[in-house]
């Protein structure tokens, strides 16, 4: 089973327009962490989510996360495709 991560992020509640300008500038400089498969933003302006393969360089991925920590709260959830997970689900519950 390929290990991937769904990273749900939300902008911190106390951010003002200047903070969001600084975050936008930082993202233009740094971009996504290594291994990002898809990056989606919420259209209500409150955050988004990233699907990321298990990065080869965990330190680099951690560094990118720390870069955005002043503006963003993260929740990291390990995930797999249903096609890969379903045989295990069937074995346990089938």
């Amino acid at each position: 089973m390929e290990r991937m991560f769904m990273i749900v992020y939300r902008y911190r509640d106390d951010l003002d327009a200047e903070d969001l300008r600084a975050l936008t500038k930082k993202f233009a400089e740094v971009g996504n962490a290594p291994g990002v498969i898809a990056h989606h933003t919420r259209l209500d302006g409150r955050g988004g989510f990233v699907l990321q393969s298990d990065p080869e360089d965990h330190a680099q991925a951690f560094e990118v996360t720390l870069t955005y920590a002043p503006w963003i709260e993260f929740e990291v959830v390990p995930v797999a495709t249903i096609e890969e997970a379903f045989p295990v689900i069937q074995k346990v519950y089938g």
Side-chain angles (χ1 to χ4, degrees):
M1 195 178 305
E2 180 185 356
R3 189 162 90 166
M4 296 180 288
F5 300 98
M6 180 180 66
I7 303 161
V8 179
Y9 65 90
R10 185 178 175 107
Y11 302 122
R12 295 185 182 276
D13 289 335
D14 60 346
L15 299 181
D16 61 17
E18 188 58 38
D19 293 321
L20 293 171
R21 278 191 279 281
L23 171 58
T24 300
K25 181 179 177 184
K26 183 58 72 176
F27 186 77
E29 293 170 11
V30 176
N32 285 309
V36 169
I37 297 165
H39 184 165
H40 296 267
T41 189
R42 290 173 49 157
L43 295 180
D44 63 3
R46 295 172 43 196
F49 72 91
V50 173
L51 183 62
Q52 180 181 22
S53 62
D54 193 2
E56 291 182 25
D57 186 345
H58 290 267
Q60 185 182 12
F62 181 49
E63 182 179 334
V64 172
T65 301
L66 286 178
T67 299
Y68 296 122
W71 301 282
I72 296 174
E73 296 173 350
F74 297 95
E75 177 187 8
V76 180
V77 180
V79 297
T81 65
I82 191 63
E83 293 83 7
E84 290 181 311
F86 193 69
V88 177
I89 294 166
Q90 261 188 321
K91 181 178 176 182
V92 173
Y93 298 112

Coordinates of all heavy atoms in Angstrom, one line a residue:
M1 N 0.9 -1.2 0.0 CA 0.0 0.0 0.0 C 0.9 1.2 0.0 O 1.8 1.4 0.8 CB -0.9 0.0 1.3 CG -2.0 0.9 1.2 SD -3.1 0.8 2.7 CE -3.6 -0.9 2.7
E2 N 0.7 2.1 -1.0 CA 1.5 3.3 -1.0 C 1.0 4.3 0.1 O -0.2 4.6 0.2 CB 1.3 4.0 -2.4 CG 2.1 5.3 -2.5 CD 1.8 6.0 -3.8 OE1 1.1 5.5 -4.7 OE2 2.3 7.2 -3.9
R3 N 2.0 4.8 0.8 CA 1.6 5.7 1.9 C 1.6 7.1 1.4 O 2.6 7.6 0.7 CB 2.7 5.6 3.0 CG 2.3 6.4 4.3 CD 3.1 5.9 5.4 NE 4.3 6.7 5.6 CZ 5.0 6.7 6.6 NH1 4.7 6.0 7.7 NH2 6.1 7.5 6.7
M4 N 0.5 7.8 1.6 CA 0.3 9.2 1.2 C -0.2 9.9 2.4 O -0.6 9.3 3.4 CB -0.7 9.3 0.0 CG -0.2 8.7 -1.2 SD -1.4 8.9 -2.6 CE -2.7 7.7 -2.1
F5 N -0.2 11.2 2.3 CA -0.7 12.0 3.4 C -1.7 13.1 2.8 O -1.5 13.7 1.8 CB 0.4 12.8 4.1 CG 1.4 11.9 4.7 CD1 2.6 11.6 4.1 CD2 1.2 11.3 5.9 CE1 3.5 10.7 4.6 CE2 2.1 10.4 6.5 CZ 3.3 10.1 5.8
M6 N -2.8 13.2 3.5 CA -3.8 14.3 3.2 C -3.5 15.3 4.3 O -3.6 15.1 5.5 CB -5.2 13.8 3.3 CG -6.2 15.0 3.0 SD -7.9 14.5 3.1 CE -8.1 14.2 4.8
I7 N -3.1 16.5 3.9 CA -2.7 17.6 4.8 C -3.8 18.6 4.7 O -3.9 19.3 3.6 CB -1.3 18.1 4.5 CG1 -0.3 17.0 4.5 CG2 -1.0 19.3 5.4 CD1 1.0 17.3 3.8
V8 N -4.6 18.7 5.7 CA -5.7 19.7 5.7 C -5.1 20.9 6.4 O -4.5 20.8 7.5 CB -6.9 19.2 6.5 CG1 -8.0 20.3 6.5 CG2 -7.4 17.9 5.8
Y9 N -5.2 22.1 5.8 CA -4.7 23.3 6.4 C -5.8 24.4 6.6 O -6.7 24.4 5.8 CB -3.4 23.8 5.7 CG -3.7 24.3 4.3 CD1 -4.0 25.7 4.1 CD2 -3.5 23.5 3.2 CE1 -4.2 26.2 2.8 CE2 -3.7 24.0 1.9 CZ -4.0 25.3 1.7 OH -4.2 25.8 0.4
R10 N -5.6 25.2 7.6 CA -6.5 26.3 7.9 C -5.7 27.5 8.3 O -4.8 27.4 9.1 CB -7.5 25.8 9.0 CG -8.6 26.8 9.2 CD -9.5 26.3 10.3 NE -10.4 27.3 10.7 CZ -11.7 27.3 10.3 NH1 -12.2 26.2 9.7 NH2 -12.5 28.2 10.7
Y11 N -6.1 28.6 7.7 CA -5.4 29.9 8.1 C -5.7 30.2 9.6 O -6.9 30.0 10.0 CB -5.8 31.0 7.2 CG -5.5 30.7 5.7 CD1 -6.5 30.8 4.8 CD2 -4.2 30.4 5.3 CE1 -6.3 30.5 3.5 CE2 -4.0 30.1 4.0 CZ -5.0 30.2 3.1 OH -4.7 29.9 1.8
R12 N -4.8 30.6 10.3 CA -5.0 31.0 11.7 C -6.1 32.1 11.8 O -6.1 33.0 10.9 CB -3.7 31.4 12.3 CG -2.7 30.3 12.4 CD -1.4 30.7 13.2 NE -0.5 29.6 13.2 CZ -0.5 28.6 14.0 NH1 -1.4 28.6 15.0 NH2 0.4 27.7 14.0
D13 N -6.9 32.0 12.8 CA -8.0 33.0 13.0 C -7.6 34.4 13.2 O -8.3 35.3 12.8 CB -8.9 32.5 14.1 CG -9.7 31.3 13.8 OD1 -9.9 31.0 12.6 OD2 -10.0 30.6 14.8
D14 N -6.4 34.7 13.7 CA -6.0 36.0 14.0 C -5.3 36.8 12.9 O -4.7 37.8 13.2 CB -5.2 36.0 15.3 CG -3.9 35.2 15.2 OD1 -3.8 34.4 14.2 OD2 -3.0 35.3 16.0
L15 N -5.3 36.2 11.7 CA -4.5 36.9 10.6 C -5.3 38.1 10.1 O -6.5 38.1 10.0 CB -4.3 35.9 9.5 CG -3.5 34.6 9.8 CD1 -3.4 33.8 8.5 CD2 -2.2 35.0 10.4
D16 N -4.5 39.1 9.7 CA -5.2 40.3 9.1 C -4.7 40.3 7.6 O -3.9 39.5 7.2 CB -4.8 41.6 9.9 CG -3.3 41.9 10.0 OD1 -2.5 41.3 9.2 OD2 -3.0 42.7 10.8
A17 N -5.1 41.4 6.9 CA -4.7 41.5 5.5 C -3.2 41.5 5.3 O -2.7 40.9 4.3 CB -5.4 42.7 4.9
E18 N -2.5 42.2 6.2 CA -1.0 42.2 6.0 C -0.4 40.9 6.2 O 0.6 40.5 5.5 CB -0.4 43.2 7.1 CG 1.1 43.5 6.9 CD 1.4 44.0 5.5 OE1 0.7 44.8 4.9 OE2 2.5 43.6 5.0
D19 N -0.9 40.1 7.2 CA -0.4 38.7 7.4 C -0.6 37.9 6.1 O 0.2 37.1 5.7 CB -1.1 38.0 8.6 CG -0.8 38.7 9.9 OD1 0.4 39.0 10.1 OD2 -1.7 38.8 10.7
L20 N -1.8 38.0 5.5 CA -2.1 37.2 4.3 C -1.3 37.6 3.1 O -0.9 36.8 2.3 CB -3.6 37.3 4.0 CG -4.5 36.6 5.1 CD1 -6.0 37.0 4.8 CD2 -4.3 35.1 5.1
R21 N -0.9 38.9 3.1 CA 0.0 39.4 2.0 C 1.4 38.8 2.2 O 2.0 38.3 1.3 CB 0.1 40.9 2.0 CG -1.0 41.6 1.3 CD -0.7 43.1 1.0 NE -1.0 43.9 2.2 CZ -2.2 44.3 2.6 NH1 -3.3 43.9 1.8 NH2 -2.4 45.0 3.6
A22 N 1.8 38.7 3.5 CA 3.1 38.1 3.8 C 3.1 36.6 3.4 O 4.1 36.0 2.9 CB 3.5 38.3 5.3
L23 N 2.0 35.9 3.8 CA 1.9 34.5 3.4 C 1.9 34.3 1.9 O 2.6 33.4 1.4 CB 0.6 33.9 4.0 CG 0.2 32.5 3.6 CD1 1.3 31.5 3.9 CD2 -1.1 32.1 4.2
T24 N 1.2 35.1 1.2 CA 1.2 35.0 -0.3 C 2.6 35.2 -0.9 O 3.0 34.5 -1.7 CB 0.2 36.1 -0.9 OG1 -1.1 35.8 -0.3 CG2 0.1 36.0 -2.4
K25 N 3.3 36.2 -0.3 CA 4.7 36.4 -0.8 C 5.5 35.2 -0.5 O 6.3 34.7 -1.3 CB 5.2 37.6 -0.1 CG 6.6 38.0 -0.5 CD 7.2 39.2 0.2 CE 8.6 39.5 -0.2 NZ 9.2 40.6 0.5
K26 N 5.4 34.6 0.7 CA 6.2 33.4 1.1 C 5.9 32.3 0.2 O 6.8 31.5 -0.2 CB 5.9 33.1 2.6 CG 6.8 32.0 3.1 CD 8.3 32.2 3.0 CE 8.8 33.2 3.9 NZ 10.2 33.4 3.9
F27 N 4.6 32.0 -0.1 CA 4.2 30.9 -0.9 C 4.8 31.1 -2.3 O 5.2 30.1 -3.0 CB 2.7 30.7 -1.0 CG 2.3 29.4 -1.7 CD1 2.5 28.2 -1.2 CD2 1.9 29.5 -3.1 CE1 2.1 27.0 -1.9 CE2 1.6 28.4 -3.8 CZ 1.7 27.1 -3.2
A28 N 4.8 32.3 -2.8 CA 5.4 32.6 -4.2 C 6.9 32.2 -4.2 O 7.4 31.8 -5.2 CB 5.2 34.0 -4.6
E29 N 7.5 32.4 -3.0 CA 9.0 32.1 -2.9 C 9.2 30.6 -2.7 O 10.1 30.0 -3.3 CB 9.6 32.8 -1.7 CG 9.6 34.3 -1.8 CD 10.0 35.0 -0.5 OE1 10.5 34.3 0.4 OE2 9.9 36.2 -0.4
V30 N 8.5 30.0 -1.8 CA 8.8 28.6 -1.4 C 8.0 27.5 -2.1 O 8.5 26.5 -2.5 CB 8.5 28.5 0.1 CG1 8.7 27.0 0.6 CG2 9.4 29.4 0.9
G31 N 6.7 27.8 -2.4 CA 5.8 26.8 -3.0 C 5.4 25.7 -2.2 O 5.5 25.7 -0.9
N32 N 5.1 24.5 -2.8 CA 4.7 23.3 -2.1 C 5.9 22.5 -1.6 O 7.0 22.7 -2.1 CB 3.9 22.4 -3.1 CG 2.5 22.9 -3.4 OD1 1.8 23.2 -2.4 ND2 2.2 23.0 -4.6
A33 N 5.6 21.7 -0.6 CA 6.6 20.7 -0.2 C 6.9 19.7 -1.2 O 6.1 19.5 -2.1 CB 6.1 20.1 1.1
P34 N 8.0 19.0 -1.1 CA 8.3 17.9 -2.1 C 7.2 16.8 -2.1 O 6.7 16.5 -1.0 CB 9.7 17.4 -1.7 CG 9.9 17.9 -0.4 CD 9.0 19.1 -0.1
G35 N 6.9 16.2 -3.2 CA 6.0 15.1 -3.2 C 4.5 15.4 -3.3 O 3.7 14.6 -3.3
V36 N 4.2 16.7 -3.5 CA 2.8 17.1 -3.6 C 2.2 16.6 -4.9 O 2.7 16.8 -6.0 CB 2.6 18.6 -3.5 CG1 1.2 19.1 -3.9 CG2 2.9 19.1 -2.1
I37 N 1.1 15.9 -4.8 CA 0.4 15.3 -5.9 C -0.7 16.3 -6.4 O -1.0 16.5 -7.6 CB -0.3 13.9 -5.6 CG1 0.9 13.0 -5.2 CG2 -1.2 13.4 -6.7 CD1 0.4 11.7 -4.5
A38 N -1.4 16.8 -5.4 CA -2.5 17.8 -5.7 C -2.6 18.8 -4.5 O -2.3 18.4 -3.4 CB -3.8 17.1 -5.8
H39 N -2.9 20.0 -4.9 CA -3.1 21.1 -3.8 C -4.3 21.8 -4.2 O -4.4 22.4 -5.3 CB -1.9 22.0 -3.9 CG -1.9 23.1 -2.8 ND1 -0.8 23.8 -2.5 CD2 -2.9 23.5 -2.0 CE1 -1.1 24.6 -1.5 NE2 -2.4 24.5 -1.2
H40 N -5.3 21.8 -3.3 CA -6.6 22.4 -3.5 C -6.8 23.5 -2.5 O -6.5 23.2 -1.3 CB -7.8 21.4 -3.5 CG -7.7 20.4 -4.6 ND1 -8.3 20.6 -5.8 CD2 -7.0 19.2 -4.7 CE1 -8.0 19.5 -6.6 NE2 -7.2 18.7 -6.0
T41 N -7.4 24.6 -2.9 CA -7.8 25.6 -1.9 C -9.3 25.7 -1.7 O -10.0 25.4 -2.6 CB -7.2 27.0 -2.4 OG1 -7.4 27.9 -1.3 CG2 -7.9 27.4 -3.6
R42 N -9.7 26.0 -0.5 CA -11.1 26.2 -0.2 C -11.6 27.5 -0.8 O -10.9 28.5 -0.7 CB -11.4 26.2 1.3 CG -11.1 24.9 1.9 CD -11.2 24.9 3.4 NE -12.4 25.6 3.9 CZ -13.0 25.5 5.1 NH1 -12.4 24.6 6.0 NH2 -14.0 26.2 5.5
L43 N -12.7 27.5 -1.5 CA -13.2 28.7 -2.1 C -13.8 29.7 -1.1 O -14.2 30.8 -1.5 CB -14.1 28.4 -3.3 CG -13.4 27.6 -4.4 CD1 -14.5 27.4 -5.5 CD2 -12.2 28.4 -4.9
D44 N -13.9 29.4 0.2 CA -14.3 30.3 1.2 C -13.2 31.1 1.8 O -13.3 31.9 2.7 CB -15.1 29.6 2.3 CG -14.4 28.6 3.1 OD1 -13.1 28.4 2.8 OD2 -14.9 28.0 3.9
G45 N -11.9 30.8 1.3 CA -10.8 31.6 1.7 C -10.2 31.2 3.1 O -9.4 31.9 3.6
R46 N -10.6 30.0 3.6 CA -10.2 29.6 4.9 C -9.1 28.6 5.0 O -8.7 28.2 6.1 CB -11.4 29.2 5.7 CG -12.4 30.3 5.9 CD -13.7 29.9 6.5 NE -13.6 29.0 7.6 CZ -14.6 28.3 8.1 NH1 -15.8 28.4 7.6 NH2 -14.4 27.5 9.1
G47 N -8.6 28.1 3.8 CA -7.6 27.1 3.9 C -7.6 26.2 2.6 O -8.0 26.6 1.6
G48 N -7.3 24.9 2.8 CA -7.3 24.0 1.7 C -6.8 22.6 2.2 O -6.7 22.3 3.3
F49 N -6.4 21.8 1.2 CA -5.8 20.5 1.5 C -4.8 20.1 0.4 O -4.9 20.6 -0.8 CB -6.8 19.4 1.7 CG -7.6 19.0 0.5 CD1 -7.1 17.9 -0.3 CD2 -8.7 19.6 0.1 CE1 -7.7 17.5 -1.4 CE2 -9.4 19.2 -1.1 CZ -8.9 18.1 -1.8
V50 N -3.9 19.3 0.8 CA -2.8 18.8 -0.1 C -2.8 17.3 0.0 O -2.9 16.8 1.1 CB -1.5 19.4 0.4 CG1 -0.3 18.8 -0.4 CG2 -1.4 20.9 0.3
L51 N -2.6 16.7 -1.1 CA -2.4 15.2 -1.2 C -0.9 15.1 -1.5 O -0.4 15.6 -2.6 CB -3.2 14.5 -2.2 CG -3.1 13.0 -2.3 CD1 -3.5 12.4 -1.0 CD2 -3.9 12.5 -3.4
Q52 N -0.2 14.4 -0.7 CA 1.3 14.3 -0.8 C 1.7 12.9 -0.7 O 1.3 12.2 0.2 CB 2.0 15.2 0.3 CG 3.5 15.2 0.3 CD 4.0 16.0 1.4 OE1 3.4 16.2 2.4 NE2 5.2 16.4 1.3
S53 N 2.6 12.5 -1.6 CA 3.2 11.2 -1.5 C 4.2 11.2 -0.3 O 4.6 12.3 0.1 CB 3.9 10.7 -2.8 OG 5.0 11.6 -3.1
D54 N 4.6 10.0 0.2 CA 5.5 10.0 1.3 C 6.8 10.5 0.8 O 7.5 10.0 -0.1 CB 5.7 8.5 1.7 CG 6.4 8.4 3.1 OD1 6.8 9.4 3.7 OD2 6.7 7.3 3.5
P55 N 7.3 11.7 1.3 CA 8.5 12.3 0.8 C 9.7 11.6 1.1 O 9.9 11.0 2.1 CB 8.5 13.7 1.4 CG 7.7 13.5 2.7 CD 6.7 12.5 2.4
E56 N 10.7 11.6 0.1 CA 11.9 10.9 0.4 C 12.7 11.7 1.4 O 13.4 11.1 2.2 CB 12.7 10.8 -0.9 CG 12.1 9.9 -2.0 CD 13.0 9.8 -3.2 OE1 14.2 10.1 -3.2 OE2 12.4 9.4 -4.2
D57 N 12.6 13.0 1.4 CA 13.4 13.8 2.3 C 12.4 14.4 3.3 O 11.8 15.5 3.1 CB 14.1 14.9 1.5 CG 15.0 15.8 2.4 OD1 14.9 15.7 3.6 OD2 15.8 16.5 1.8
H58 N 12.2 13.7 4.4 CA 11.3 14.2 5.5 C 11.7 15.5 6.1 O 10.9 16.3 6.4 CB 11.1 13.1 6.5 CG 10.4 11.9 6.1 ND1 9.0 11.8 6.2 CD2 10.8 10.8 5.4 CE1 8.7 10.6 5.7 NE2 9.7 10.0 5.2
A59 N 13.0 15.7 6.2 CA 13.5 17.0 6.7 C 13.1 18.2 5.9 O 12.7 19.2 6.4 CB 15.0 16.9 6.9
Q60 N 13.2 18.0 4.6 CA 12.8 19.1 3.7 C 11.3 19.4 3.8 O 10.9 20.5 3.8 CB 13.2 18.8 2.2 CG 13.0 20.0 1.3 CD 13.3 19.6 -0.1 OE1 13.6 18.5 -0.5 NE2 13.3 20.6 -1.0
A61 N 10.5 18.3 3.8 CA 9.1 18.5 4.0 C 8.7 19.2 5.3 O 7.9 20.1 5.3 CB 8.4 17.2 3.9
F62 N 9.4 18.8 6.3 CA 9.2 19.4 7.6 C 9.6 20.9 7.6 O 8.9 21.8 8.1 CB 10.0 18.7 8.7 CG 9.9 19.2 10.1 CD1 8.6 19.5 10.6 CD2 11.0 19.4 10.9 CE1 8.5 19.9 11.9 CE2 10.9 19.9 12.2 CZ 9.6 20.2 12.7
E63 N 10.7 21.2 6.9 CA 11.2 22.6 6.8 C 10.1 23.5 6.1 O 9.8 24.6 6.5 CB 12.5 22.6 6.0 CG 13.1 24.0 5.9 CD 14.4 24.1 5.1 OE1 15.1 23.0 5.1 OE2 14.7 25.1 4.5
V64 N 9.5 23.0 5.0 CA 8.5 23.7 4.3 C 7.3 23.9 5.3 O 6.7 25.0 5.3 CB 8.1 23.0 3.0 CG1 6.9 23.7 2.4 CG2 9.2 23.0 2.0
T65 N 6.9 22.9 6.0 CA 5.8 23.0 7.0 C 6.1 24.1 8.0 O 5.3 25.0 8.3 CB 5.5 21.7 7.6 OG1 5.2 20.7 6.7 CG2 4.4 21.8 8.6
L66 N 7.3 24.1 8.5 CA 7.6 25.1 9.5 C 7.7 26.5 9.0 O 7.3 27.5 9.6 CB 9.0 24.8 10.1 CG 9.1 23.6 11.1 CD1 10.5 23.4 11.6 CD2 8.2 23.9 12.3
T67 N 8.0 26.6 7.7 CA 8.0 27.9 7.0 C 6.6 28.6 7.1 O 6.5 29.8 7.2 CB 8.5 27.8 5.6 OG1 9.8 27.2 5.6 CG2 8.5 29.1 4.8
Y68 N 5.6 27.8 6.9 CA 4.2 28.3 6.9 C 3.5 28.3 8.2 O 2.4 28.8 8.4 CB 3.4 27.5 5.9 CG 3.9 27.6 4.5 CD1 4.2 26.4 3.8 CD2 4.0 28.8 3.8 CE1 4.7 26.5 2.4 CE2 4.4 28.9 2.5 CZ 4.8 27.8 1.8 OH 5.2 27.9 0.5
A69 N 4.2 27.8 9.3 CA 3.5 27.7 10.6 C 3.1 29.0 11.2 O 2.1 29.0 11.9 CB 4.5 26.9 11.5
P70 N 3.7 30.1 10.9 CA 3.2 31.4 11.5 C 1.8 31.7 11.0 O 1.1 32.5 11.7 CB 4.2 32.4 11.1 CG 5.5 31.7 10.8 CD 5.0 30.3 10.3
W71 N 1.4 31.2 9.9 CA 0.1 31.6 9.3 C -0.9 30.5 9.2 O -2.1 30.7 9.1 CB 0.3 32.1 7.9 CG 1.3 33.2 7.7 CD1 1.0 34.5 8.0 CD2 2.6 33.2 7.3 NE1 2.1 35.3 7.7 CE2 3.1 34.5 7.3 CE3 3.5 32.1 6.9 CZ2 4.4 34.8 7.0 CZ3 4.8 32.5 6.6 CH2 5.3 33.8 6.6
I72 N -0.5 29.2 9.3 CA -1.3 28.1 9.0 C -1.3 27.0 10.1 O -0.2 26.7 10.6 CB -0.9 27.5 7.7 CG1 -1.1 28.5 6.5 CG2 -1.6 26.2 7.4 CD1 -0.6 28.0 5.2
E73 N -2.4 26.4 10.4 CA -2.5 25.2 11.2 C -2.7 24.0 10.3 O -3.5 24.1 9.4 CB -3.7 25.4 12.2 CG -3.6 26.5 13.2 CD -4.8 26.7 14.0 OE1 -5.9 26.1 13.7 OE2 -4.7 27.6 14.9
F74 N -2.0 22.9 10.6 CA -2.0 21.7 9.8 C -2.6 20.5 10.5 O -2.4 20.4 11.7 CB -0.6 21.4 9.4 CG 0.1 22.4 8.5 CD1 0.9 23.4 9.1 CD2 -0.1 22.4 7.2 CE1 1.6 24.3 8.3 CE2 0.6 23.4 6.4 CZ 1.4 24.3 7.0
E75 N -3.3 19.7 9.8 CA -3.6 18.4 10.3 C -3.2 17.4 9.2 O -3.5 17.5 8.0 CB -5.2 18.3 10.4 CG -5.6 16.9 10.8 CD -7.1 16.7 10.8 OE1 -7.8 17.6 10.4 OE2 -7.6 15.6 11.3
V76 N -2.3 16.4 9.6 CA -1.7 15.5 8.7 C -2.4 14.1 8.9 O -2.3 13.6 10.0 CB -0.2 15.4 8.8 CG1 0.4 14.4 7.8 CG2 0.4 16.8 8.6
V77 N -3.0 13.5 7.9 CA -3.7 12.3 8.0 C -3.1 11.3 7.0 O -3.1 11.6 5.8 CB -5.2 12.5 7.7 CG1 -5.9 11.1 7.8 CG2 -5.8 13.5 8.6
P78 N -2.6 10.1 7.4 CA -2.2 9.1 6.4 C -3.4 8.6 5.7 O -4.4 8.3 6.3 CB -1.5 8.0 7.3 CG -1.9 8.3 8.7 CD -2.4 9.7 8.8
V79 N -3.2 8.4 4.4 CA -4.3 7.9 3.5 C -3.8 6.9 2.5 O -2.6 6.9 2.2 CB -5.1 9.1 2.8 CG1 -5.7 10.0 3.8 CG2 -4.1 9.9 1.9
A80 N -4.7 6.2 1.9 CA -4.4 5.3 0.7 C -5.6 5.3 -0.2 O -6.7 5.8 0.2 CB -4.1 3.9 1.2
T81 N -5.4 4.9 -1.4 CA -6.6 4.8 -2.3 C -7.5 3.7 -1.8 O -7.1 2.7 -1.1 CB -6.1 4.5 -3.7 OG1 -5.6 3.1 -3.8 CG2 -5.2 5.5 -4.3
I82 N -8.8 3.8 -2.1 CA -9.8 2.8 -1.7 C -9.4 1.4 -2.4 O -9.6 0.4 -1.8 CB -11.2 3.2 -2.0 CG1 -12.2 2.3 -1.3 CG2 -11.5 3.3 -3.5 CD1 -12.2 2.3 0.2
E83 N -8.9 1.5 -3.6 CA -8.5 0.2 -4.3 C -7.4 -0.5 -3.5 O -7.5 -1.7 -3.4 CB -8.0 0.5 -5.7 CG -9.0 1.1 -6.6 CD -9.3 2.6 -6.5 OE1 -8.6 3.3 -5.8 OE2 -10.3 3.0 -7.1
E84 N -6.5 0.2 -2.9 CA -5.5 -0.4 -2.1 C -6.0 -0.8 -0.7 O -5.6 -1.8 -0.1 CB -4.2 0.5 -1.9 CG -3.5 0.6 -3.2 CD -2.3 1.5 -3.0 OE1 -2.4 2.6 -2.4 OE2 -1.2 1.1 -3.5
A85 N -6.9 0.0 -0.1 CA -7.3 -0.2 1.2 C -8.4 -1.3 1.3 O -8.6 -2.0 2.3 CB -7.8 1.1 1.8
F86 N -9.2 -1.4 0.3 CA -10.4 -2.3 0.3 C -10.1 -3.7 0.6 O -10.8 -4.3 1.4 CB -11.3 -2.1 -0.9 CG -12.6 -2.7 -0.7 CD1 -13.6 -2.2 0.1 CD2 -13.0 -3.9 -1.4 CE1 -14.8 -2.7 0.3 CE2 -14.2 -4.5 -1.2 CZ -15.2 -3.9 -0.4
P87 N -9.1 -4.3 0.1 CA -8.8 -5.7 0.4 C -8.5 -5.9 1.9 O -8.9 -6.9 2.5 CB -7.5 -6.1 -0.4 CG -7.6 -5.2 -1.6 CD -8.2 -3.9 -1.0
V88 N -7.9 -4.9 2.6 CA -7.7 -5.0 4.0 C -9.0 -4.8 4.7 O -9.3 -5.6 5.7 CB -6.6 -3.9 4.5 CG1 -6.5 -4.0 6.0 CG2 -5.3 -4.1 3.7
I89 N -9.8 -3.9 4.3 CA -11.1 -3.7 4.9 C -12.0 -5.0 4.8 O -12.6 -5.4 5.8 CB -11.9 -2.5 4.2 CG1 -11.1 -1.2 4.5 CG2 -13.3 -2.4 4.7 CD1 -11.6 0.0 3.6
Q90 N -11.9 -5.6 3.6 CA -12.7 -6.8 3.4 C -12.1 -8.0 4.3 O -12.9 -8.7 4.9 CB -12.6 -7.3 2.0 CG -13.8 -6.9 1.1 CD -13.7 -7.6 -0.2 OE1 -12.7 -7.7 -0.8 NE2 -14.9 -8.0 -0.7
K91 N -10.9 -8.0 4.4 CA -10.2 -9.1 5.3 C -10.7 -8.9 6.7 O -11.0 -9.9 7.4 CB -8.7 -9.0 5.2 CG -8.0 -10.0 6.0 CD -6.5 -9.9 5.8 CE -5.8 -10.9 6.7 NZ -4.3 -10.7 6.6
V92 N -10.8 -7.7 7.2 CA -11.1 -7.5 8.6 C -12.6 -7.5 8.8 O -13.1 -8.1 9.8 CB -10.6 -6.1 9.1 CG1 -11.1 -5.7 10.5 CG2 -9.0 -6.1 9.1
Y93 N -13.4 -6.9 7.9 CA -14.8 -6.8 8.1 C -15.7 -7.6 7.2 O -16.9 -7.7 7.4 CB -15.3 -5.3 8.0 CG -14.6 -4.5 9.1 CD1 -13.6 -3.5 8.7 CD2 -14.9 -4.6 10.4 CE1 -13.0 -2.7 9.6 CE2 -14.3 -3.8 11.4 CZ -13.3 -2.9 11.0 OH -12.7 -2.1 11.9
G94 N -15.1 -8.2 6.1 CA -15.8 -8.9 5.1 C -16.4 -10.2 5.6 O -17.3 -10.8 5.2

